[in-house]
Amino acid sequence: MNLVTNNNNHWRIFLTICLVSLITLTGCQTTSDSAVTGGSNSEEIESPMADVTQNQSTDIDNNIMNLPKLEGKAIVEMKVKGQSITIELDGNNAPITAGNFLDLVDKGVYDGLVFHRVVTEPQPFVAQGGDPQGKDPNFPVSRLGTGGYIDPNTNSQRYIPLEIRPQYDESAEDATPPEIIYSQTTDVTPQLRHEYGVIAMARSQMPDSASSQFYFTLADLPFLDGSYAVFGRVTNGMDVVEGIAQGDRIDSVQVISGIENLKR
């Protein structure tokens, strides 16, 4: 699933086209935000996306004000196989995406969930998890990657919009961040790019279909920029991330700092 190959441009273009065309989940029929093919031996090329029902509303604008937002930064600690991964969430540049993730962390949604898709061959690509259906050990492995967070207040799945802030000089004292682009892919260079060791949201072909599934990047993946929302980065424990195998479970995720910056 990696786009870095020895045949340079032609092979890369071919794989990129395959990735884009298989942005939806090829597992089962419903919901969510991951790009899995179902089984661990699948040889199809896919991107970090998921299947969604066709009747899903895309009218995110009416709900955007009700979504959690992170105003500033926050730190969370994820434990996998007893080892720690420290993640800095960037609410300055991805307030809704980071806020959604922090809210789900605070609710304990990710505890016990499975990394249902880990792609390391032929090149490192992503380690993807966050499907709440994976908490049930009897849930079919072939269907993991089709689920998202069900909000108990609405009894329906929470979706968040695709969120991309164009690049700017964040270090400049008089820097004015450009407006965030919502609900559409873009060719502009984003402020938060798909560099090695970032965390981003998986989604389906529909831009506003991310819910709870996320992925860690195992390499620089610039071809995903502008199509998926990066919302933070691993600051410690990338060796743990690189050791994640498909089927490994998240022991726990807890907020270390910044919960006061979460607005719900």
Side-chain angles (χ1 to χ4, degrees):
M1 188 85 173
N2 240 341
L3 292 197
V4 181
T5 66
N6 293 326
N7 285 328
N8 293 328
N9 292 336
H10 294 303
W11 186 232
R12 178 171 181 173
I13 290 170
F14 170 73
L15 289 181
T16 303
I17 292 171
C18 290
L19 278 164
V20 172
S21 67
L22 284 170
I23 260 168
T24 58
L25 194 85
T26 54
C28 275
Q29 58 253 43
T30 51
T31 97
S32 223
D33 33 323
S34 195
V36 206
T37 58
S40 61
N41 294 324
S42 172
E43 298 190 12
E44 292 184 87
I45 298 174
E46 319 129 28
S47 61
M49 295 187 125
D51 225 1
V52 285
T53 51
Q54 294 302 309
N55 62 355
Q56 175 195 329
S57 172
T58 58
D59 190 14
I60 294 293
D61 289 342
N62 292 334
N63 303 316
I64 199 168
M65 296 306 296
N66 296 321
L67 293 169
K69 298 178 184 66
L70 178 61
E71 298 178 354
K73 301 286 184 76
I75 304 293
V76 301
E77 181 186 37
M78 179 180 295
K79 289 192 174 181
V80 179
K81 294 183 289 190
Q83 297 180 292
S84 295
I85 302 166
T86 304
I87 308 164
E88 181 184 70
L89 307 180
D90 188 346
N92 293 325
N93 295 302
I96 292 176
T97 315
N100 175 71
F101 185 82
L102 186 62
D103 180 57
L104 299 185
V105 167
D106 193 46
K107 287 178 165 62
V109 170
Y110 292 113
D111 297 352
L113 299 191
V114 174
F115 282 95
H116 58 268
R117 178 167 177 258
V118 178
V119 181
T120 58
E121 297 293 340
Q123 300 282 343
F125 185 56
V126 299
Q128 186 170 326
D131 182 347
Q133 299 172 123
K135 192 163 289 191
D136 179 359
N138 297 317
F139 190 83
V141 174
S142 63
R143 291 191 61 195
L144 286 177
T146 62
Y149 171 65
I150 304 299
D151 190 331
N153 293 321
T154 62
N155 291 318
S156 61
Q157 187 160 310
R158 177 199 289 175
Y159 295 103
I160 62 172
L162 177 61
E163 179 178 52
I164 307 290
R165 189 187 292 281
Q167 187 178 37
Y168 68 103
D169 185 358
E170 198 168 1
S171 64
E173 292 184 5
D174 59 347
T176 301
E179 291 294 320
I180 293 175
I181 298 170
Y182 283 106
S183 303
Q184 60 182 312
T185 60
T186 177
D187 292 331
V188 303
T189 301
Q191 182 69 8
L192 301 180
R193 298 181 294 281
H194 279 79
E195 299 169 340
Y196 168 74
V198 301
I199 184 171
M201 291 302 288
R203 64 173 181 81
S204 77
Q205 287 180 338
M206 302 173 72
D208 296 339
S209 58
S211 180
S212 62
Q213 292 182 48
F214 66 91
Y215 58 94
F216 293 115
T217 56
L218 304 178
D220 289 346
L221 304 172
F223 59 90
L224 296 180
D225 287 347
S227 295
Y228 302 88
V230 174
F231 61 93
R233 66 173 51 252
V234 175
T235 58
N236 190 45
M238 267 309 292
D239 57 326
V240 180
V241 174
E242 291 182 335
I244 293 172
Q246 192 158 301
D248 284 346
R249 289 188 178 273
I250 298 170
D251 299 332
S252 63
V253 193
Q254 63 178 9
V255 182
I256 302 301
S257 64
I259 191 64
E260 69 278 3
N261 296 328
L262 180 63
K263 310 304 177 184
R264 297 188 259 217

